[in-house]
Amino acid sequence: QVQLVESGGGSVQAGGSLRLSCAASGRTFSSHAMGWFRQAPGKEREFVARISSFGNTYSADSVKGRFTISRDNAKNTMYLQMNSLKPEDTAVYYCCQRNGDYGGWDYWGQGTQVTVSS
């Protein structure tokens, strides 16, 4: 059974940085794309960034140049380095895993709260 566990969330002032981690278990980590989504209060869940099984990355325009997604296949872990944080980045951040590189996002973590104060 696949498990995804996020960590690294917290409270930070605008302009600060946080690094989220997502530890995966249950199937061959290196064979699957990984991604981050977020959901702010009263808003729909939105895409943040994804990384393919071979390391190609893609990020939402709202975070380009500030957030960096990466993965360490030896540690079965994905990361999201978040710099220059803004109050509008406040949300619950969810880690997810794709079925291969082109399937659906079929596994999700429990989420970690990120709060950015002005």
Side-chain angles (χ1 to χ4, degrees), residues 7-9 12 15-22 35-36 38 48-51 57 59 62-71 77-85 89 93 114:
S7 61
V12 65
S17 298
L18 284 173
R19 188 195 197 201
L20 304 184
S21 299
C22 173
W36 290 98
R38 67 186 181 186
V48 175
R50 67 174 185 259
I51 184 166
T57 63
S59 301
S62 59
V63 305
K64 277 181 181 175
R66 301 188 299 121
F67 292 11
T68 302
I69 188 172
S70 62
R71 64 190 297 161
T77 302
M78 173 182 65
Y79 304 97
L80 185 68
Q81 178 66 45
M82 306 186 293
N83 298 329
S84 301
L85 282 161
D89 295 318
Y93 283 71
V114 171

PDB file of all heavy atoms in Angstrom, residues 7-9 12 15-22 35-36 38 48-51 57 59 62-71 77-85 89 93 114:
ATOM      1  N   SER A   7       6.162  16.607   5.392  1.00  0.00           N
ATOM      2  CA  SER A   7       6.700  17.259   6.572  1.00  0.00           C
ATOM      3  C   SER A   7       7.342  18.572   6.142  1.00  0.00           C
ATOM      4  O   SER A   7       7.570  18.799   4.948  1.00  0.00           O
ATOM      5  CB  SER A   7       7.712  16.366   7.288  1.00  0.00           C
ATOM      6  OG  SER A   7       8.799  16.074   6.437  1.00  0.00           O
ATOM      7  N   GLY A   8       7.621  19.431   7.124  1.00  0.00           N
ATOM      8  CA  GLY A   8       8.329  20.666   6.832  1.00  0.00           C
ATOM      9  C   GLY A   8       7.478  21.918   6.803  1.00  0.00           C
ATOM     10  O   GLY A   8       7.998  23.024   6.634  1.00  0.00           O
ATOM     11  N   GLY A   9       6.176  21.756   6.946  1.00  0.00           N
ATOM     12  CA  GLY A   9       5.325  22.940   6.967  1.00  0.00           C
ATOM     13  C   GLY A   9       5.527  23.750   8.232  1.00  0.00           C
ATOM     14  O   GLY A   9       6.205  23.317   9.168  1.00  0.00           O
ATOM     15  N   VAL A  12       5.852  31.239   8.702  1.00  0.00           N
ATOM     16  CA  VAL A  12       7.016  32.034   8.333  1.00  0.00           C
ATOM     17  C   VAL A  12       6.538  33.417   7.909  1.00  0.00           C
ATOM     18  O   VAL A  12       5.391  33.586   7.477  1.00  0.00           O
ATOM     19  CB  VAL A  12       7.804  31.332   7.196  1.00  0.00           C
ATOM     20  CG1 VAL A  12       6.975  31.251   5.924  1.00  0.00           C
ATOM     21  CG2 VAL A  12       9.138  31.988   6.950  1.00  0.00           C
ATOM     22  N   GLY A  15       8.647  36.668   2.603  1.00  0.00           N
ATOM     23  CA  GLY A  15      10.043  36.752   2.199  1.00  0.00           C
ATOM     24  C   GLY A  15      10.893  35.601   2.705  1.00  0.00           C
ATOM     25  O   GLY A  15      12.034  35.429   2.257  1.00  0.00           O
ATOM     26  N   GLY A  16      10.341  34.826   3.609  1.00  0.00           N
ATOM     27  CA  GLY A  16      11.077  33.708   4.177  1.00  0.00           C
ATOM     28  C   GLY A  16      11.030  32.463   3.311  1.00  0.00           C
ATOM     29  O   GLY A  16      10.480  32.471   2.204  1.00  0.00           O
ATOM     30  N   SER A  17      11.615  31.394   3.847  1.00  0.00           N
ATOM     31  CA  SER A  17      11.723  30.140   3.104  1.00  0.00           C
ATOM     32  C   SER A  17      11.284  28.961   3.963  1.00  0.00           C
ATOM     33  O   SER A  17      11.388  28.990   5.190  1.00  0.00           O
ATOM     34  CB  SER A  17      13.174  29.907   2.666  1.00  0.00           C
ATOM     35  OG  SER A  17      13.619  30.917   1.794  1.00  0.00           O
ATOM     36  N   LEU A  18      10.803  27.934   3.277  1.00  0.00           N
ATOM     37  CA  LEU A  18      10.494  26.656   3.895  1.00  0.00           C
ATOM     38  C   LEU A  18      10.839  25.552   2.903  1.00  0.00           C
ATOM     39  O   LEU A  18      10.803  25.770   1.684  1.00  0.00           O
ATOM     40  CB  LEU A  18       9.009  26.538   4.265  1.00  0.00           C
ATOM     41  CG  LEU A  18       8.501  27.279   5.494  1.00  0.00           C
ATOM     42  CD1 LEU A  18       6.985  27.170   5.585  1.00  0.00           C
ATOM     43  CD2 LEU A  18       9.148  26.736   6.763  1.00  0.00           C
ATOM     44  N   ARG A  19      11.144  24.376   3.426  1.00  0.00           N
ATOM     45  CA  ARG A  19      11.389  23.213   2.575  1.00  0.00           C
ATOM     46  C   ARG A  19      10.465  22.091   2.992  1.00  0.00           C
ATOM     47  O   ARG A  19      10.547  21.614   4.124  1.00  0.00           O
ATOM     48  CB  ARG A  19      12.839  22.750   2.694  1.00  0.00           C
ATOM     49  CG  ARG A  19      13.227  21.665   1.703  1.00  0.00           C
ATOM     50  CD  ARG A  19      14.515  21.012   2.116  1.00  0.00           C
ATOM     51  NE  ARG A  19      15.137  20.266   1.044  1.00  0.00           N
ATOM     52  CZ  ARG A  19      16.040  19.292   1.240  1.00  0.00           C
ATOM     53  NH1 ARG A  19      16.413  18.979   2.469  1.00  0.00           N
ATOM     54  NH2 ARG A  19      16.564  18.658   0.216  1.00  0.00           N
ATOM     55  N   LEU A  20       9.591  21.716   2.097  1.00  0.00           N
ATOM     56  CA  LEU A  20       8.690  20.605   2.350  1.00  0.00           C
ATOM     57  C   LEU A  20       9.325  19.308   1.847  1.00  0.00           C
ATOM     58  O   LEU A  20      10.038  19.302   0.842  1.00  0.00           O
ATOM     59  CB  LEU A  20       7.361  20.812   1.638  1.00  0.00           C
ATOM     60  CG  LEU A  20       6.598  22.106   1.949  1.00  0.00           C
ATOM     61  CD1 LEU A  20       5.254  22.099   1.227  1.00  0.00           C
ATOM     62  CD2 LEU A  20       6.416  22.304   3.429  1.00  0.00           C
ATOM     63  N   SER A  21       9.033  18.231   2.552  1.00  0.00           N
ATOM     64  CA  SER A  21       9.480  16.902   2.146  1.00  0.00           C
ATOM     65  C   SER A  21       8.277  15.982   2.036  1.00  0.00           C
ATOM     66  O   SER A  21       7.277  16.163   2.728  1.00  0.00           O
ATOM     67  CB  SER A  21      10.461  16.317   3.165  1.00  0.00           C
ATOM     68  OG  SER A  21      11.610  17.111   3.290  1.00  0.00           O
ATOM     69  N   CYS A  22       8.388  15.006   1.166  1.00  0.00           N
ATOM     70  CA  CYS A  22       7.353  13.988   1.015  1.00  0.00           C
ATOM     71  C   CYS A  22       8.049  12.635   0.937  1.00  0.00           C
ATOM     72  O   CYS A  22       8.727  12.342  -0.050  1.00  0.00           O
ATOM     73  CB  CYS A  22       6.531  14.237  -0.232  1.00  0.00           C
ATOM     74  SG  CYS A  22       5.345  12.914  -0.616  1.00  0.00           S
ATOM     75  N   GLY A  35       4.182  15.032  -7.407  1.00  0.00           N
ATOM     76  CA  GLY A  35       3.722  16.410  -7.535  1.00  0.00           C
ATOM     77  C   GLY A  35       3.317  17.028  -6.208  1.00  0.00           C
ATOM     78  O   GLY A  35       3.177  16.334  -5.201  1.00  0.00           O
ATOM     79  N   TRP A  36       3.161  18.345  -6.258  1.00  0.00           N
ATOM     80  CA  TRP A  36       2.643  19.113  -5.123  1.00  0.00           C
ATOM     81  C   TRP A  36       1.420  19.898  -5.582  1.00  0.00           C
ATOM     82  O   TRP A  36       1.432  20.514  -6.650  1.00  0.00           O
ATOM     83  CB  TRP A  36       3.686  20.086  -4.603  1.00  0.00           C
ATOM     84  CG  TRP A  36       4.855  19.466  -3.922  1.00  0.00           C
ATOM     85  CD1 TRP A  36       6.088  19.207  -4.463  1.00  0.00           C
ATOM     86  CD2 TRP A  36       4.923  19.027  -2.560  1.00  0.00           C
ATOM     87  NE1 TRP A  36       6.903  18.624  -3.530  1.00  0.00           N
ATOM     88  CE2 TRP A  36       6.223  18.516  -2.350  1.00  0.00           C
ATOM     89  CE3 TRP A  36       4.021  19.015  -1.488  1.00  0.00           C
ATOM     90  CZ2 TRP A  36       6.630  17.992  -1.124  1.00  0.00           C
ATOM     91  CZ3 TRP A  36       4.420  18.498  -0.281  1.00  0.00           C
ATOM     92  CH2 TRP A  36       5.715  17.990  -0.093  1.00  0.00           C
ATOM     93  N   ARG A  38      -1.818  22.493  -3.650  1.00  0.00           N
ATOM     94  CA  ARG A  38      -2.122  23.219  -2.424  1.00  0.00           C
ATOM     95  C   ARG A  38      -3.580  23.664  -2.426  1.00  0.00           C
ATOM     96  O   ARG A  38      -4.193  23.802  -3.480  1.00  0.00           O
ATOM     97  CB  ARG A  38      -1.193  24.420  -2.257  1.00  0.00           C
ATOM     98  CG  ARG A  38      -1.391  25.527  -3.283  1.00  0.00           C
ATOM     99  CD  ARG A  38      -0.318  26.606  -3.106  1.00  0.00           C
ATOM    100  NE  ARG A  38      -0.488  27.700  -4.066  1.00  0.00           N
ATOM    101  CZ  ARG A  38       0.366  28.709  -4.211  1.00  0.00           C
ATOM    102  NH1 ARG A  38       1.464  28.773  -3.450  1.00  0.00           N
ATOM    103  NH2 ARG A  38       0.138  29.668  -5.091  1.00  0.00           N
ATOM    104  N   VAL A  48       0.746  22.955  -8.031  1.00  0.00           N
ATOM    105  CA  VAL A  48       1.927  23.763  -7.713  1.00  0.00           C
ATOM    106  C   VAL A  48       3.107  23.365  -8.603  1.00  0.00           C
ATOM    107  O   VAL A  48       3.675  24.206  -9.300  1.00  0.00           O
ATOM    108  CB  VAL A  48       2.315  23.611  -6.235  1.00  0.00           C
ATOM    109  CG1 VAL A  48       3.611  24.369  -5.937  1.00  0.00           C
ATOM    110  CG2 VAL A  48       1.186  24.095  -5.321  1.00  0.00           C
ATOM    111  N   ALA A  49       3.480  22.102  -8.575  1.00  0.00           N
ATOM    112  CA  ALA A  49       4.643  21.655  -9.347  1.00  0.00           C
ATOM    113  C   ALA A  49       4.617  20.140  -9.479  1.00  0.00           C
ATOM    114  O   ALA A  49       3.986  19.453  -8.672  1.00  0.00           O
ATOM    115  CB  ALA A  49       5.941  22.105  -8.677  1.00  0.00           C
ATOM    116  N   ARG A  50       5.316  19.647 -10.513  1.00  0.00           N
ATOM    117  CA  ARG A  50       5.448  18.204 -10.667  1.00  0.00           C
ATOM    118  C   ARG A  50       6.858  17.884 -11.161  1.00  0.00           C
ATOM    119  O   ARG A  50       7.538  18.737 -11.730  1.00  0.00           O
ATOM    120  CB  ARG A  50       4.419  17.630 -11.635  1.00  0.00           C
ATOM    121  CG  ARG A  50       4.592  18.071 -13.083  1.00  0.00           C
ATOM    122  CD  ARG A  50       3.629  17.335 -14.002  1.00  0.00           C
ATOM    123  NE  ARG A  50       3.870  17.664 -15.396  1.00  0.00           N
ATOM    124  CZ  ARG A  50       3.129  18.524 -16.085  1.00  0.00           C
ATOM    125  NH1 ARG A  50       2.115  19.145 -15.507  1.00  0.00           N
ATOM    126  NH2 ARG A  50       3.402  18.770 -17.350  1.00  0.00           N
ATOM    127  N   ILE A  51       7.267  16.643 -10.919  1.00  0.00           N
ATOM    128  CA  ILE A  51       8.561  16.163 -11.385  1.00  0.00           C
ATOM    129  C   ILE A  51       8.374  14.757 -11.916  1.00  0.00           C
ATOM    130  O   ILE A  51       7.762  13.913 -11.256  1.00  0.00           O
ATOM    131  CB  ILE A  51       9.618  16.243 -10.256  1.00  0.00           C
ATOM    132  CG1 ILE A  51      10.996  15.827 -10.780  1.00  0.00           C
ATOM    133  CG2 ILE A  51       9.215  15.427  -9.023  1.00  0.00           C
ATOM    134  CD1 ILE A  51      12.131  16.206  -9.835  1.00  0.00           C
ATOM    135  N   THR A  57      10.877  18.803 -14.692  1.00  0.00           N
ATOM    136  CA  THR A  57      10.014  19.527 -13.773  1.00  0.00           C
ATOM    137  C   THR A  57       9.138  20.531 -14.516  1.00  0.00           C
ATOM    138  O   THR A  57       9.463  20.989 -15.618  1.00  0.00           O
ATOM    139  CB  THR A  57      10.831  20.284 -12.714  1.00  0.00           C
ATOM    140  OG1 THR A  57      11.650  21.267 -13.358  1.00  0.00           O
ATOM    141  CG2 THR A  57      11.723  19.338 -11.932  1.00  0.00           C
ATOM    142  N   SER A  59       6.318  23.834 -13.214  1.00  0.00           N
ATOM    143  CA  SER A  59       5.726  24.546 -12.078  1.00  0.00           C
ATOM    144  C   SER A  59       4.645  25.505 -12.555  1.00  0.00           C
ATOM    145  O   SER A  59       4.680  25.995 -13.684  1.00  0.00           O
ATOM    146  CB  SER A  59       6.799  25.339 -11.341  1.00  0.00           C
ATOM    147  OG  SER A  59       7.815  24.502 -10.865  1.00  0.00           O
ATOM    148  N   SER A  62       2.478  30.877 -10.872  1.00  0.00           N
ATOM    149  CA  SER A  62       2.446  31.630  -9.613  1.00  0.00           C
ATOM    150  C   SER A  62       3.649  31.358  -8.721  1.00  0.00           C
ATOM    151  O   SER A  62       3.931  32.142  -7.802  1.00  0.00           O
ATOM    152  CB  SER A  62       1.157  31.321  -8.848  1.00  0.00           C
ATOM    153  OG  SER A  62       1.066  29.930  -8.580  1.00  0.00           O
ATOM    154  N   VAL A  63       4.349  30.263  -8.964  1.00  0.00           N
ATOM    155  CA  VAL A  63       5.488  29.912  -8.099  1.00  0.00           C
ATOM    156  C   VAL A  63       6.813  29.841  -8.851  1.00  0.00           C
ATOM    157  O   VAL A  63       7.861  29.636  -8.232  1.00  0.00           O
ATOM    158  CB  VAL A  63       5.245  28.580  -7.359  1.00  0.00           C
ATOM    159  CG1 VAL A  63       3.929  28.629  -6.587  1.00  0.00           C
ATOM    160  CG2 VAL A  63       5.286  27.388  -8.292  1.00  0.00           C
ATOM    161  N   LYS A  64       6.771  30.012 -10.164  1.00  0.00           N
ATOM    162  CA  LYS A  64       8.019  29.935 -10.945  1.00  0.00           C
ATOM    163  C   LYS A  64       9.016  30.972 -10.477  1.00  0.00           C
ATOM    164  O   LYS A  64       8.665  32.128 -10.210  1.00  0.00           O
ATOM    165  CB  LYS A  64       7.714  30.131 -12.441  1.00  0.00           C
ATOM    166  CG  LYS A  64       7.254  28.874 -13.128  1.00  0.00           C
ATOM    167  CD  LYS A  64       6.978  29.097 -14.601  1.00  0.00           C
ATOM    168  CE  LYS A  64       6.483  27.809 -15.247  1.00  0.00           C
ATOM    169  NZ  LYS A  64       6.088  27.995 -16.643  1.00  0.00           N
ATOM    170  N   GLY A  65      10.262  30.530 -10.356  1.00  0.00           N
ATOM    171  CA  GLY A  65      11.320  31.416  -9.889  1.00  0.00           C
ATOM    172  C   GLY A  65      11.419  31.509  -8.374  1.00  0.00           C
ATOM    173  O   GLY A  65      12.382  32.070  -7.847  1.00  0.00           O
ATOM    174  N   ARG A  66      10.426  30.973  -7.666  1.00  0.00           N
ATOM    175  CA  ARG A  66      10.445  31.006  -6.197  1.00  0.00           C
ATOM    176  C   ARG A  66      10.477  29.603  -5.589  1.00  0.00           C
ATOM    177  O   ARG A  66      11.131  29.376  -4.576  1.00  0.00           O
ATOM    178  CB  ARG A  66       9.217  31.749  -5.663  1.00  0.00           C
ATOM    179  CG  ARG A  66       9.104  33.175  -6.135  1.00  0.00           C
ATOM    180  CD  ARG A  66       7.975  33.915  -5.415  1.00  0.00           C
ATOM    181  NE  ARG A  66       6.671  33.309  -5.655  1.00  0.00           N
ATOM    182  CZ  ARG A  66       5.875  32.843  -4.691  1.00  0.00           C
ATOM    183  NH1 ARG A  66       6.250  32.906  -3.430  1.00  0.00           N
ATOM    184  NH2 ARG A  66       4.683  32.326  -5.006  1.00  0.00           N
ATOM    185  N   PHE A  67       9.773  28.660  -6.192  1.00  0.00           N
ATOM    186  CA  PHE A  67       9.690  27.290  -5.681  1.00  0.00           C
ATOM    187  C   PHE A  67      10.476  26.351  -6.589  1.00  0.00           C
ATOM    188  O   PHE A  67      10.449  26.499  -7.810  1.00  0.00           O
ATOM    189  CB  PHE A  67       8.245  26.800  -5.637  1.00  0.00           C
ATOM    190  CG  PHE A  67       7.358  27.468  -4.631  1.00  0.00           C
ATOM    191  CD1 PHE A  67       7.747  28.608  -3.948  1.00  0.00           C
ATOM    192  CD2 PHE A  67       6.091  26.949  -4.356  1.00  0.00           C
ATOM    193  CE1 PHE A  67       6.919  29.219  -3.019  1.00  0.00           C
ATOM    194  CE2 PHE A  67       5.243  27.549  -3.443  1.00  0.00           C
ATOM    195  CZ  PHE A  67       5.666  28.686  -2.776  1.00  0.00           C
ATOM    196  N   THR A  68      11.151  25.380  -5.980  1.00  0.00           N
ATOM    197  CA  THR A  68      11.898  24.380  -6.741  1.00  0.00           C
ATOM    198  C   THR A  68      11.504  22.992  -6.267  1.00  0.00           C
ATOM    199  O   THR A  68      11.618  22.685  -5.071  1.00  0.00           O
ATOM    200  CB  THR A  68      13.411  24.574  -6.575  1.00  0.00           C
ATOM    201  OG1 THR A  68      13.776  25.884  -6.993  1.00  0.00           O
ATOM    202  CG2 THR A  68      14.171  23.545  -7.403  1.00  0.00           C
ATOM    203  N   ILE A  69      11.068  22.165  -7.194  1.00  0.00           N
ATOM    204  CA  ILE A  69      10.727  20.784  -6.879  1.00  0.00           C
ATOM    205  C   ILE A  69      11.914  19.892  -7.224  1.00  0.00           C
ATOM    206  O   ILE A  69      12.608  20.120  -8.224  1.00  0.00           O
ATOM    207  CB  ILE A  69       9.448  20.341  -7.629  1.00  0.00           C
ATOM    208  CG1 ILE A  69       8.973  18.974  -7.151  1.00  0.00           C
ATOM    209  CG2 ILE A  69       9.656  20.366  -9.136  1.00  0.00           C
ATOM    210  CD1 ILE A  69       7.604  18.573  -7.705  1.00  0.00           C
ATOM    211  N   SER A  70      12.154  18.892  -6.390  1.00  0.00           N
ATOM    212  CA  SER A  70      13.252  17.964  -6.653  1.00  0.00           C
ATOM    213  C   SER A  70      12.913  16.610  -6.026  1.00  0.00           C
ATOM    214  O   SER A  70      11.947  16.494  -5.273  1.00  0.00           O
ATOM    215  CB  SER A  70      14.570  18.497  -6.089  1.00  0.00           C
ATOM    216  OG  SER A  70      14.492  18.633  -4.680  1.00  0.00           O
ATOM    217  N   ARG A  71      13.694  15.624  -6.357  1.00  0.00           N
ATOM    218  CA  ARG A  71      13.479  14.301  -5.792  1.00  0.00           C
ATOM    219  C   ARG A  71      14.816  13.607  -5.579  1.00  0.00           C
ATOM    220  O   ARG A  71      15.786  13.855  -6.302  1.00  0.00           O
ATOM    221  CB  ARG A  71      12.591  13.458  -6.705  1.00  0.00           C
ATOM    222  CG  ARG A  71      13.172  13.134  -8.063  1.00  0.00           C
ATOM    223  CD  ARG A  71      12.118  12.508  -8.993  1.00  0.00           C
ATOM    224  NE  ARG A  71      11.633  11.229  -8.478  1.00  0.00           N
ATOM    225  CZ  ARG A  71      10.487  10.668  -8.869  1.00  0.00           C
ATOM    226  NH1 ARG A  71       9.713  11.274  -9.759  1.00  0.00           N
ATOM    227  NH2 ARG A  71      10.125   9.501  -8.375  1.00  0.00           N
ATOM    228  N   THR A  77      12.165  10.156  -1.583  1.00  0.00           N
ATOM    229  CA  THR A  77      11.674  11.419  -1.045  1.00  0.00           C
ATOM    230  C   THR A  77      11.646  12.503  -2.115  1.00  0.00           C
ATOM    231  O   THR A  77      12.568  12.585  -2.948  1.00  0.00           O
ATOM    232  CB  THR A  77      12.540  11.878   0.133  1.00  0.00           C
ATOM    233  OG1 THR A  77      12.538  10.861   1.153  1.00  0.00           O
ATOM    234  CG2 THR A  77      12.015  13.167   0.743  1.00  0.00           C
ATOM    235  N   MET A  78      10.604  13.307  -2.072  1.00  0.00           N
ATOM    236  CA  MET A  78      10.475  14.474  -2.951  1.00  0.00           C
ATOM    237  C   MET A  78      10.511  15.719  -2.071  1.00  0.00           C
ATOM    238  O   MET A  78      10.113  15.669  -0.896  1.00  0.00           O
ATOM    239  CB  MET A  78       9.137  14.409  -3.695  1.00  0.00           C
ATOM    240  CG  MET A  78       8.821  15.652  -4.505  1.00  0.00           C
ATOM    241  SD  MET A  78       7.230  15.579  -5.328  1.00  0.00           S
ATOM    242  CE  MET A  78       6.099  15.543  -3.937  1.00  0.00           C
ATOM    243  N   TYR A  79      10.965  16.819  -2.654  1.00  0.00           N
ATOM    244  CA  TYR A  79      11.102  18.062  -1.897  1.00  0.00           C
ATOM    245  C   TYR A  79      10.434  19.221  -2.643  1.00  0.00           C
ATOM    246  O   TYR A  79      10.289  19.190  -3.872  1.00  0.00           O
ATOM    247  CB  TYR A  79      12.571  18.403  -1.691  1.00  0.00           C
ATOM    248  CG  TYR A  79      13.355  17.304  -1.030  1.00  0.00           C
ATOM    249  CD1 TYR A  79      14.107  16.406  -1.785  1.00  0.00           C
ATOM    250  CD2 TYR A  79      13.341  17.140   0.355  1.00  0.00           C
ATOM    251  CE1 TYR A  79      14.819  15.384  -1.186  1.00  0.00           C
ATOM    252  CE2 TYR A  79      14.058  16.119   0.965  1.00  0.00           C
ATOM    253  CZ  TYR A  79      14.795  15.247   0.190  1.00  0.00           C
ATOM    254  OH  TYR A  79      15.504  14.241   0.787  1.00  0.00           O
ATOM    255  N   LEU A  80      10.069  20.238  -1.885  1.00  0.00           N
ATOM    256  CA  LEU A  80       9.647  21.508  -2.473  1.00  0.00           C
ATOM    257  C   LEU A  80      10.336  22.609  -1.677  1.00  0.00           C
ATOM    258  O   LEU A  80       9.989  22.862  -0.518  1.00  0.00           O
ATOM    259  CB  LEU A  80       8.124  21.679  -2.409  1.00  0.00           C
ATOM    260  CG  LEU A  80       7.602  22.920  -3.121  1.00  0.00           C
ATOM    261  CD1 LEU A  80       7.787  22.791  -4.642  1.00  0.00           C
ATOM    262  CD2 LEU A  80       6.124  23.154  -2.790  1.00  0.00           C
ATOM    263  N   GLN A  81      11.330  23.215  -2.296  1.00  0.00           N
ATOM    264  CA  GLN A  81      12.011  24.353  -1.690  1.00  0.00           C
ATOM    265  C   GLN A  81      11.234  25.608  -2.042  1.00  0.00           C
ATOM    266  O   GLN A  81      11.076  25.923  -3.231  1.00  0.00           O
ATOM    267  CB  GLN A  81      13.452  24.453  -2.201  1.00  0.00           C
ATOM    268  CG  GLN A  81      14.216  25.641  -1.653  1.00  0.00           C
ATOM    269  CD  GLN A  81      14.467  25.556  -0.163  1.00  0.00           C
ATOM    270  OE1 GLN A  81      14.854  24.503   0.341  1.00  0.00           O
ATOM    271  NE2 GLN A  81      14.240  26.654   0.546  1.00  0.00           N
ATOM    272  N   MET A  82      10.761  26.305  -1.037  1.00  0.00           N
ATOM    273  CA  MET A  82       9.928  27.486  -1.240  1.00  0.00           C
ATOM    274  C   MET A  82      10.663  28.712  -0.716  1.00  0.00           C
ATOM    275  O   MET A  82      10.921  28.806   0.491  1.00  0.00           O
ATOM    276  CB  MET A  82       8.581  27.314  -0.527  1.00  0.00           C
ATOM    277  CG  MET A  82       7.848  26.034  -0.913  1.00  0.00           C
ATOM    278  SD  MET A  82       6.190  25.935  -0.201  1.00  0.00           S
ATOM    279  CE  MET A  82       6.603  25.800   1.531  1.00  0.00           C
ATOM    280  N   ASN A  83      11.000  29.615  -1.610  1.00  0.00           N
ATOM    281  CA  ASN A  83      11.695  30.852  -1.251  1.00  0.00           C
ATOM    282  C   ASN A  83      10.803  32.048  -1.558  1.00  0.00           C
ATOM    283  O   ASN A  83       9.824  31.943  -2.296  1.00  0.00           O
ATOM    284  CB  ASN A  83      13.002  30.966  -2.032  1.00  0.00           C
ATOM    285  CG  ASN A  83      13.971  29.850  -1.728  1.00  0.00           C
ATOM    286  OD1 ASN A  83      14.009  29.316  -0.618  1.00  0.00           O
ATOM    287  ND2 ASN A  83      14.768  29.477  -2.720  1.00  0.00           N
ATOM    288  N   SER A  84      11.161  33.188  -1.008  1.00  0.00           N
ATOM    289  CA  SER A  84      10.418  34.436  -1.239  1.00  0.00           C
ATOM    290  C   SER A  84       8.923  34.217  -1.039  1.00  0.00           C
ATOM    291  O   SER A  84       8.098  34.622  -1.869  1.00  0.00           O
ATOM    292  CB  SER A  84      10.688  34.948  -2.658  1.00  0.00           C
ATOM    293  OG  SER A  84      12.069  35.173  -2.849  1.00  0.00           O
ATOM    294  N   LEU A  85       8.580  33.605   0.053  1.00  0.00           N
ATOM    295  CA  LEU A  85       7.177  33.263   0.317  1.00  0.00           C
ATOM    296  C   LEU A  85       6.328  34.512   0.478  1.00  0.00           C
ATOM    297  O   LEU A  85       6.780  35.539   1.001  1.00  0.00           O
ATOM    298  CB  LEU A  85       7.076  32.384   1.554  1.00  0.00           C
ATOM    299  CG  LEU A  85       7.455  30.912   1.304  1.00  0.00           C
ATOM    300  CD1 LEU A  85       7.797  30.207   2.600  1.00  0.00           C
ATOM    301  CD2 LEU A  85       6.331  30.203   0.572  1.00  0.00           C
ATOM    302  N   ASP A  89       0.691  32.428  -0.543  1.00  0.00           N
ATOM    303  CA  ASP A  89       1.152  31.029  -0.578  1.00  0.00           C
ATOM    304  C   ASP A  89       0.590  30.222   0.592  1.00  0.00           C
ATOM    305  O   ASP A  89       0.789  29.010   0.658  1.00  0.00           O
ATOM    306  CB  ASP A  89       2.682  30.961  -0.534  1.00  0.00           C
ATOM    307  CG  ASP A  89       3.328  31.560  -1.758  1.00  0.00           C
ATOM    308  OD1 ASP A  89       2.827  31.321  -2.884  1.00  0.00           O
ATOM    309  OD2 ASP A  89       4.353  32.254  -1.607  1.00  0.00           O
ATOM    310  N   TYR A  93      -0.496  22.106   1.866  1.00  0.00           N
ATOM    311  CA  TYR A  93       0.251  21.567   0.731  1.00  0.00           C
ATOM    312  C   TYR A  93       0.177  20.043   0.757  1.00  0.00           C
ATOM    313  O   TYR A  93       0.455  19.417   1.788  1.00  0.00           O
ATOM    314  CB  TYR A  93       1.695  22.040   0.772  1.00  0.00           C
ATOM    315  CG  TYR A  93       1.844  23.481   0.318  1.00  0.00           C
ATOM    316  CD1 TYR A  93       1.382  24.529   1.117  1.00  0.00           C
ATOM    317  CD2 TYR A  93       2.428  23.795  -0.909  1.00  0.00           C
ATOM    318  CE1 TYR A  93       1.479  25.846   0.689  1.00  0.00           C
ATOM    319  CE2 TYR A  93       2.541  25.099  -1.341  1.00  0.00           C
ATOM    320  CZ  TYR A  93       2.062  26.119  -0.536  1.00  0.00           C
ATOM    321  OH  TYR A  93       2.166  27.434  -0.944  1.00  0.00           O
ATOM    322  N   VAL A 114       1.127  25.414   5.552  1.00  0.00           N
ATOM    323  CA  VAL A 114       2.101  26.490   5.383  1.00  0.00           C
ATOM    324  C   VAL A 114       1.364  27.805   5.584  1.00  0.00           C
ATOM    325  O   VAL A 114       0.364  28.068   4.916  1.00  0.00           O
ATOM    326  CB  VAL A 114       2.756  26.443   3.997  1.00  0.00           C
ATOM    327  CG1 VAL A 114       3.603  27.687   3.760  1.00  0.00           C
ATOM    328  CG2 VAL A 114       3.598  25.191   3.847  1.00  0.00           C
TER     329      VAL A 114
END
